[in-house]
Amino acid sequence: CKFWGLGGDGTVGANKNSIKIIGDHTDKYIQAYFQYDSKKTGGITISHLRFGDSPIKSSYYINKADFVACHNSAYLNKYDMISDVKPGGTFLLDCLWSDEELGEHLPASVKTYIAKNNIKFYTINATKIAIDIGNAKVKNTVLQSAFFALAKILPIDEAIEYMKKMAYKSYIKKGQAIVDLNYAAIDAGKDAL
């Protein structure tokens, strides 16, 4: 899996939690690497998550992935991330666009690649969902839940349970209200697709 995010948006942290959940609750071998822009906050991040039934014996960034997510729609016109998706793979785009606007905003090269390679294409407006829940900062949690719903690495109910345990552990020091906010984001993400 490959996730394109914006430094400071929580994508890397969510992916670290995701790979830990996969490693702790499946019998899969795991590996994760993270690329950061030199600016870090506000720069580009790319998370490379590998997991499978065979030992992972080498370290490298992922060029072709079964699942690619773009957490910043502005990247569609800057980077060729769609060609990172293997034929028959899944692409998740976080965007503010309606279905009608999507056709106007997607570059022709993206549309062509999706059509020619039988890509399963999903959109989610994680920012709106997070704002509706009460805090735009839980956008990454919405997207993490959407990933587990689409990737089907674990039964979704189990993945939700593990994500909620991680959220509790991560945020209880900030109070139950923050924990509950993250629980709502987890539930919303799985249901938004």
Side-chain angles (χ1 to χ4, degrees), residues 15-174:
N15 285 320
K16 287 179 179 180
N17 281 344
S18 294
I19 202 71
K20 184 166 177 37
I21 288 169
I22 294 165
D24 289 349
H25 301 289
T26 72
D27 56 2
K28 299 205 178 296
Y29 296 90
I30 61 168
Q31 183 182 77
Y33 285 101
F34 303 92
Q35 286 176 278
Y36 305 97
D37 188 277
S38 61
K39 296 178 239 170
K40 299 215 178 180
T41 299
I44 189 170
T45 66
I46 305 173
S47 302
H48 302 258
L49 307 185
R50 296 174 66 205
F51 47 89
D53 298 326
S54 302
I56 300 169
K57 296 184 178 182
S58 63
S59 56
Y60 56 86
Y61 289 138
I62 297 167
N63 293 321
K64 291 288 186 181
D66 296 298
F67 183 97
V68 175
C70 173
H71 292 187
N72 184 341
S73 59
Y75 291 167
L76 282 175
N77 291 306
K78 288 181 158 186
Y79 306 104
D80 180 22
M81 67 187 71
I82 193 68
S83 66
D84 290 346
V85 187
K86 291 179 184 175
T90 301
F91 187 79
L92 174 63
L93 174 64
D94 177 30
C95 67
L96 303 172
W97 308 319
S98 67
D99 289 343
E100 297 77 30
E101 294 170 322
L102 186 63
E104 298 169 21
H105 289 284
L106 279 183
S109 60
V110 171
K111 292 176 191 175
T112 301
Y113 189 87
I114 289 169
K116 285 185 176 179
N117 292 282
N118 196 30
I119 304 300
K120 294 178 238 31
F121 180 75
Y122 296 89
T123 61
I124 186 170
N125 189 340
T127 302
K128 182 180 182 326
I129 292 168
I131 290 169
D132 289 349
I133 289 169
N135 188 333
K137 292 182 179 180
V138 296
K139 167 187 165 172
N140 63 315
T141 306
V142 172
L143 289 162
Q144 179 189 25
S145 181
F147 159 69
F148 275 109
L150 290 171
K152 297 179 179 23
I153 303 153
L154 292 159
I156 190 60
D157 292 338
E158 285 181 37
I160 296 301
E161 175 187 339
Y162 299 137
M163 287 182 0
K164 286 184 177 180
K165 284 180 181 178
M166 294 289 279
Y168 182 85
K169 187 177 175 181
S170 297
Y171 298 113
I172 192 59
K173 291 178 184 171
K174 295 182 179 185

